[in-house]
Amino acid sequence: MTDLPANLQVNNILGVGNALFTSTAIDPGAEIFHVDRPLVSVLNQGHLKTACSNCFVWLPENGTDGGAIVQKSVGGRGKQQVKKLRACQGCKIVRYCSTERLQECQAQSWKAHHKRECKIFDKLYPKVLPNTVRIVMQLLLRRKAQDIPDAEWQNFLNLQSHLDDYRSASPKNDDGLTTYETIELMSRAVSTYSSSKEPLGFIQSVTSRVLINSLTLTTPTFDPLGLCVCTQAALLNHSCTPNTAITFSGPILSARSLGPIPPNTELTISYVDTTVNTTSRKSELRSRYFFTCACPACGNGLTNGLPDPGPDPTFDALSVRAIELQSKAASQQPEKAASLLNEALALLKAYPAHRQPHSAILHSAFLNALALQAWPPALTCATTAYFSIDPLHYQPDWHPVRVVRKWVLLRLVVQVAQLVSENGPSVRSLAGVDIDWQIVVRELLRQVEEGVARSHGVGSKFEQEVNVLGEGLRLPMGHGRLVNEEVVVRNIDELRHLASLEPE
């Protein structure tokens, strides 16, 4: 287990449990602690073919049995490396990355845990066990082999399980089962497939600990990949105004400060989406984590510092219909989905873009436009988020989510600039827009480069990726071109105009 820095202490808060405190002041955007690899991590079933099961590099183009070769920026500035994923020849379920690192990643994974699960996966192939079943089974198999030290195992067992709360909770999920009934089924599966001798009740307690304490494993740009349990990060309690954020760089988990943190302050993260209103946050926290949030934001009816709007039956009715359209769009082909999402956005156009579910539906429309390679509507959605949503929801301007969204906008503007220069048919509606796209690219790149050291850390994989793109962009743009600040502001203001347009 990675030891926590000396300035961090675990204190017990009456009625809450363990909490992590800092004894010293922490600067804004500083790394508070990092863990080289969480106690246990697994990929979602959908990413078993598109991500390495050891270093978690995500290569979406690898969704074929053979593993397509793709270009991926890695390592130092400007270096390109050919990577591909190859399936384990034993189970054919998990995959490992790259020609150069295949043996390294596969050997590390085999030694750490896969040698104990490979035969199980092979017998079940092509069926894949659910994430939680795989993560619990891996924990028990490793513990049985004494690969998890006593101290680290005890740290895991010290985490709250809320098994009694799950047992007494009556609401049923979409599958018609209560969460406790699901825990029972998953625990029986773990017991059967792993041939564990542990009592079923103990396996249920392990399963419930995983459910209540797991984090979403993501790429550095917050694309969800799977689940992980990190006993150090599990010490971070919830706040709707957190002072800490979690980022990943491959298997490395980092906790970073979102602002200046005074001495003797509890470190907190958010367990739920902080962009939804107080009532929704408190409801989700009660149903999923079994506590009533009493943080200052909830006490004062604030969402990211903004007062929650008063009762509005019209908005509530429109929101229900808009969410129904968004849900329906998720199961449609992109062309049909675009129509449904535009209909949903039209219902909410009289309300601020930062108010949920408006901003979530706008993000769905953005992703759908990218899938269609519909660059103008994608640009409209992204610029709306840049100007009207992110500055309100993600403070400060180097907030990890905000930097990532600037990065995505930067990549989109680079694509649009190239197509405009070629008079491409997909961007003809932008031909008459009075924007110097190169100036916009340069300004967005500056903002990302200035923010990434605080948002993700110096030397992180994300910073390396930003450096690679920055070096590639500066060559065609030229290093010596000086631009008056007023010209930059004018072009950014023109970009703001795009945010006022409705997605096509």
Side-chain angles (χ1 to χ4, degrees), residues 2 31 33-43 51-58 83 97 101 104-105 108-109 112-113 215-220 225 227-230 232-233 246-255 460-462:
T2 303
E31 182 178 84
F33 69 85
H34 78 270
V35 177
D36 290 336
R37 186 177 290 271
L39 173 62
V40 60
S41 307
V42 298
L43 294 171
C52 174
S53 284
N54 183 65
C55 71
F56 306 124
V57 64
W58 183 37
K83 281 181 173 280
C97 72
R101 292 193 58 183
E104 179 184 343
C105 275
Q108 288 178 358
S109 177
H113 61 84
L215 294 170
T216 301
L217 175 70
T218 73
T219 66
L225 293 177
L227 294 176
C228 72
V229 175
C230 175
Q232 298 90 334
I246 299 295
T247 64
F248 288 90
S249 184
I252 302 172
L253 178 151
S254 296
S460 64
K461 286 188 176 181
F462 183 47

Side-chain angles (χ1 to χ4, degrees), residues 3-63:
D3 292 330
L4 291 169
N7 67 312
L8 303 184
Q9 290 94 35
V10 180
N11 297 335
N12 190 273
I13 301 177
L14 184 64
V16 175
N18 288 336
L20 194 61
F21 282 76
T22 175
S23 62
T24 61
I26 298 175
D27 292 333
E31 182 178 84
I32 301 171
F33 69 85
H34 78 270
V35 177
D36 290 336
R37 186 177 290 271
L39 173 62
V40 60
S41 307
V42 298
L43 294 171
N44 293 333
Q45 181 173 345
H47 285 303
L48 286 169
K49 287 186 176 182
T50 62
C52 174
S53 284
N54 183 65
C55 71
F56 306 124
V57 64
W58 183 37
L59 305 175
E61 293 85 351
N62 277 260

Side-chain angles (χ1 to χ4, degrees), residues 101-119:
R101 292 193 58 183
L102 174 61
Q103 292 183 340
E104 179 184 343
C105 275
Q106 189 164 15
Q108 288 178 358
S109 177
W110 182 263
K111 181 179 179 180
H113 61 84
H114 189 55
K115 62 185 176 183
R116 297 180 183 88
E117 64 190 12
C118 186
K119 290 183 178 180

Side-chain angles (χ1 to χ4, degrees), residues 89-108:
Q89 294 304 300
C91 66
K92 300 174 286 295
I93 295 293
V94 299
R95 298 189 177 213
Y96 301 101
C97 72
S98 99
T99 313
E100 293 82 0
R101 292 193 58 183
L102 174 61
Q103 292 183 340
E104 179 184 343
C105 275
Q106 189 164 15
Q108 288 178 358

